[in-house]
Amino acid sequence: LALFRRDAEQFAAGVTRRVEAAVDPRAALTTWIDEILGFAYDRGRAQRAAVLGTSASRGSLDPDELRRALELLVVPLTAVLTAVAADGTFSTASPVDDAGHISAMTWETSGRMGEAASKAAKEAQRAGLLSFVGRALDVAMVDRATE
């Protein structure tokens, strides 16, 4: 539990720092998505998540602890969507709900990318997610891979 909590808090703090350092809201959103998708790219991060994500590990964790870890990661995403809803940058009716949906889609895509046979297949899934989120928010997403 202590290991899981420490890793979750450190990862969430790092994600928050990188999102806050983004140059604009679209870049902040793309940064958040890429941080979560990083589980499919970063071997060390993926291995650590695999150990902590085993049914034995998850079974030993209180469901509230898992929920808390996910909530820590959604905080910077919700902050971005809340800020841009106020200034009209994105079309979002409900930043909290939209953050939850984007989070769920991103985690699902990360899982699929982890099973992808090639880097090209992973990139195609990432591009599809960015396109979908962009259409949902009525904004062109930043593709850091081609910046």
Side-chain angles (χ1 to χ4, degrees):
L1 175 61
L3 202 81
F4 177 83
R5 185 177 290 163
R6 184 201 69 202
D7 282 1
E9 289 171 354
Q10 287 177 349
F11 183 65
V15 169
T16 299
R17 280 191 306 276
R18 286 182 282 286
V19 166
E20 289 174 349
V23 296
D24 62 41
R26 287 181 297 206
L29 179 55
T30 301
T31 296
W32 187 91
I33 289 171
D34 283 340
E35 287 297 318
I36 303 307
L37 294 181
F39 281 98
Y41 286 103
D42 183 328
R43 185 176 173 94
R45 189 188 303 179
Q47 287 175 336
R48 182 78 168 188
V51 169
L52 292 174
T54 63
S55 58
S57 293
R58 282 194 323 261
S60 67
L61 292 174
D62 181 342
D64 288 337
E65 192 66 34
L66 292 170
R67 201 171 8 267
R68 178 183 170 276
L70 287 174
E71 287 171 359
L72 286 173
L73 289 171
V74 175
V75 168
L77 175 60
T78 303
V80 168
L81 295 178
T82 299
V84 297
D87 75 7
T89 302
F90 296 168
S91 172
T92 179
S94 175
V96 172
D97 290 340
D98 291 348
H101 296 305
I102 292 168
S103 177
M105 288 185 296
T106 304
W107 283 107
E108 174 67 20
T109 301
S110 180
R112 290 180 182 188
M113 288 171 67
E115 298 167 1
S118 68
K119 184 174 180 177
K122 289 179 182 186
E123 288 299 323
Q125 290 192 20
R126 176 186 177 272
L129 174 63
L130 290 175
S131 175
F132 186 84
V133 170
R135 289 190 314 272
L137 297 174
D138 194 27
V139 64
M141 293 299 295
V142 173
D143 187 351
R144 294 187 327 180
T146 60
E147 282 186 319

